[in-house]
Every structure is written in C-alpha cells, then in structure tokens.
Amino acid sequence: GLGVGLIYVRHVKVHFGRCNRKNAKNPIWEEEVEDMIRRKTILTALTILAAIGIFGTAFAADYPTKPVQMLIPYGAGGSSDSMGRVLAKASEKHLGQNIVAVNRPGAGGGIMYTALKEAKADGYTIGWTSMGLHTTTNIGNVPFKHDVFTHVARIGYSAMPIAVRADAEWNTFEEFADYAKKNPNKIKIGNAGTGSATHMTPVFIEKELGLQFIHVPLGAKRRVPSLLGGEVDAICVPLPEIAPQVRAGKAKVLVMPSETRDPAFKDVPTMKELGYDVVFELYRGISVPQGTPDDVVAKLEAAFEKGSQEPEFVEFSNKNSFNISFMNKEEFNKYILPVDDKIEKVMTETGLKKN
C-alpha cells in the first residue's frame, strides 16, 4: 500500500508540474496541491490495506478449499508413518478436505523439516513432527531451530524403553545398570542413528547414572532384528516397535524413561520411580510454517483434536502403545521449549551439537 501511495504522489506532482507551471509558483496554490496529494495518498493507501485485510480474512474463512499435504519425516511402513496416516484419515472429515500423507525421509528428519520450512504458510502443507525436530536441528542437519515453525498441537507420545532379549541375564533395570557400572563400555545399545532420540535417551541415562555404553547406530528397521539376533545387547526403541516382540516372549522391557508408567506395560517402572531424573518421551504432533494465519492454525488444531478422538485412531493407538495426550497450540509450544533446551544441553556436553 505504501509503495503504491508513493508512486501515486510522484505521478500527481509530475502531472501538476507539467500542466500548471505558472500556478505552481503561487505559494497558496502550491500548498493546496500538496494538501490534496497527502489526502489522496492516505486514502489510496488505506483502501489498498483494507482490501488486503478483507482478502486475508476471506482466505482464512474459506480454508481449506483443496487437499492438505501432510509431510512425514520418515519412510513408509514405520511407526511414525503408519500412525500419521491413520490420524490423517481420522481428521479429514473434521477439516473438510483430504489430508494426503507424503513421506520425506532423510537426514534424521532434516529433509522433511526443510521442505516444511520452505513451504507456503497457507495451511496446505503441514508436518507430522516429533522429537526428531530437536535432534536434527541441534546436531546440525539443518541451519535452523524449532522456532521457525508454529506448533499446532501435540497428539500424544510413545515411550522409548530400554529393551533386551528375553534370555538376557538382566531381569530388572537395577541389574542392568549394576552390570554396566562394573563393566564400562561392555554393553552395546542399538539406536536409530547418531543424534536420534533413541541415541539421546541412553546418553541421558549414562550421564545420570555415571555409566558408559557402546552406542551402535543401526537404523530404525535394523534395531529389533539386531537385538534378537545378538548383534547388540540392548536397544532403545519406540514402544510400538518392540511391544509385539515382548508379547511374543522374545524380548523384555527393563525401564520406561517416561513421566508415568505405560498403560500397556504397567509392571515396568519409570526412571523417575527408580530415583533418576530421566524423562524422555517420543512425542508426535502437527506443525506448520511460521506465518500461517491464526484462523487456519485454529482450524487445524480443532480438526486434529477431534481426529485424535476418533475410534479408529484410538484403537490403533491402543494397539500400538501410543498414548494419546492432546495439547493445544499454546500448551504444545510451551512444552517444546524445555525439551529443546534439554537436548541442546546434552548434545553440547557430548560434543554432538553443531552450530
């Protein structure tokens, strides 16, 4: 609006300068012309700004008018992918448009978060976000932090337990920790990759208890097979991925680094219960590019809250040991801050953080 107004001023001055050269030397006439220019400029600018405001409001009111793309940071078939797709389907009817899941794996989530950051902030590209946002930004896979996004809602979380084979010599976490203390750098713990949430969790445990593990980056798909095959002694893994093996009698969970005990494994203690300040949960939620209109964010928040309550998603979550624990935009953005601070601190202390 301001740019258009300035162009208008120049146009009027040139016009009057050409057509009224004699009158332009008259101080009274010149003052009247300048006053008219100012009034016309203000009116033009206000008209343009009002039109922009009306257009923006209409856009938000009509949203969505086409399918919404939901970016998933990991490959097809994993727990993140399957859960995101079920949630998208359950939320569609509440949003009023199809929600199309698109896998953008790579760089520990960095590929997806970069694509989301660069997407137009109009609500038609959203991200299925998780703890990977903090690990991939702090380890330096991307040149930005979590605050380049607006975090719409947290849907819930999965525990990331320490699991061992069913025939392992440790039946409790205390036995496991005691062995590790007496045998530093002896226990091999598998994770999804260096700097991942399943790597950071054992690192937190090491620092809290004064232990030393051998950390083995295996990739998400190899973790469970590597444990069962004896390549590693233990793994840190999202509960949905190890729960079937526990139920089949092939593995056992020693401890949950969660705030509370998991409803599906009520006999497994938390780190807090055992006296250790280790709480690390694999949350999942919805994020959008910073600058997305508030009305659009509100519509997404409401749709996904209702979607998370749909029977098909609740059933899927219960079956896959995912704890639905919804947080709205305000709650979610507050929740994220200490999580990021904690990860940044431990990555700095261990030399993993890159600026």
Side-chain angles (χ1 to χ4, degrees):
L2 180 59
V4 174
L6 291 173
I7 293 170
Y8 180 80
V9 169
R10 292 182 63 188
H11 171 73
V12 172
K13 281 187 174 180
V14 170
H15 174 75
F16 278 96
R18 287 175 179 172
C19 298
N20 299 279
R21 295 183 187 278
K22 291 182 179 180
N23 289 337
K25 296 176 181 178
N26 185 328
I28 297 175
W29 187 90
E30 189 176 66
E31 184 176 333
E32 290 177 351
V33 170
E34 291 293 338
D35 184 58
M36 183 191 74
I37 290 172
R38 280 194 295 272
R39 283 187 277 111
K40 288 282 189 180
T41 301
I42 292 170
L43 180 62
T44 301
L46 289 175
T47 301
I48 292 170
L49 290 172
I52 292 171
I54 291 169
F55 176 78
T57 303
F59 168 81
D62 292 342
Y63 172 86
T65 59
K66 61 182 181 180
V68 172
Q69 184 174 241
M70 185 166 103
L71 306 183
I72 296 177
Y74 304 107
S79 60
S80 175
D81 173 66
S82 55
M83 190 161 297
R85 289 176 184 275
V86 175
L87 177 66
K89 195 68 179 174
S91 304
E92 286 180 339
K93 60 185 173 186
H94 301 293
L95 189 62
Q97 280 287 345
N98 290 338
I99 302 174
V100 182
V102 179
N103 299 94
R104 297 297 299 272
I111 299 297
M112 186 282 268
Y113 290 113
T114 298
L116 183 63
K117 177 181 177 292
E118 294 175 352
K120 191 173 181 180
D122 57 5
Y124 289 103
T125 303
I126 65 178
W128 182 224
T129 195
S130 72
M131 186 69 72
L133 169 63
H134 308 285
T135 56
T136 199
T137 52
N138 280 299
I139 205 171
N141 288 339
V142 293
F144 52 81
K145 290 279 283 179
H146 64 90
D147 55 6
V148 301
F149 303 111
T150 294
H151 304 292
V152 177
R154 187 187 86 161
I155 304 301
Y157 68 91
S158 295
M160 289 187 291
I162 302 298
V164 297
R165 288 186 303 279
D167 61 357
E169 61 184 280
W170 316 290
N171 292 310
T172 67
F173 179 75
E174 291 93 329
E175 293 174 356
F176 178 82
D178 185 60
Y179 179 90
K181 187 163 288 189
K182 294 175 180 176
N183 299 275
N185 291 315
K186 184 77 179 289
I187 293 178
K188 297 179 188 177
I189 296 189
N191 60 65
T194 301
S196 66
T198 53
H199 176 211
M200 288 295 94
T201 302
V203 169
F204 275 111
I205 292 173
E206 277 184 320
K207 292 184 67 62
E208 179 70 13
L209 279 72
L211 308 177
Q212 290 178 290
F213 300 127
I214 297 175
H215 300 277
V216 184
L218 297 166
K221 292 184 179 180
R222 285 186 55 216
R223 274 179 305 204
V224 173
S226 294
L227 173 67
L228 300 180
E231 183 179 351
V232 292
D233 305 300
I235 56 173
C236 181
V237 62
L239 186 55
E241 295 180 29
I242 195 64
Q245 306 301 329
V246 175
R247 295 186 180 111
K250 297 180 180 180
K252 50 191 174 185
V253 170
L254 299 181
V255 72
M256 299 281 189
S258 307
E259 189 69 40
T260 59
R261 290 197 182 203
D262 193 274
F265 292 87
K266 294 180 180 179
D267 59 331
V268 179
T270 67
M271 293 291 296
K272 284 185 70 174
E273 286 180 75
L274 300 178
Y276 305 115
D277 185 22
V278 179
V279 177
F280 212 57
E281 299 166 337
L282 183 61
Y283 75 77
R284 300 198 189 279
I286 302 297
S287 298
V288 294
Q290 192 69 260
T292 301
D294 290 342
D295 287 354
V296 171
V297 172
K299 286 187 176 183
L300 286 167
E301 179 188 312
F304 279 99
E305 180 176 15
K306 292 174 182 175
S308 70
Q309 298 166 359
E310 285 292 327
E312 61 264 39
F313 185 70
V314 173
E315 181 181 353
F316 181 90
S317 299
N318 291 339
K319 185 178 178 181
N320 289 275
S321 301
F322 179 76
N323 299 294
I324 300 172
S325 179
F326 188 86
M327 288 183 180
N328 61 27
K329 174 191 169 184
E330 183 179 355
E331 294 167 332
F332 190 25
N333 281 273
K334 286 181 180 177
Y335 168 85
I336 276 176
L337 295 177
V339 171
D340 192 75
D341 289 345
K342 185 190 296 185
I343 292 174
E344 182 176 21
K345 183 174 184 289
V346 77
M347 280 194 164
T348 299
E349 291 173 351
T350 55
L352 288 171
K353 180 174 170 57
K354 298 176 184 176
N355 295 320

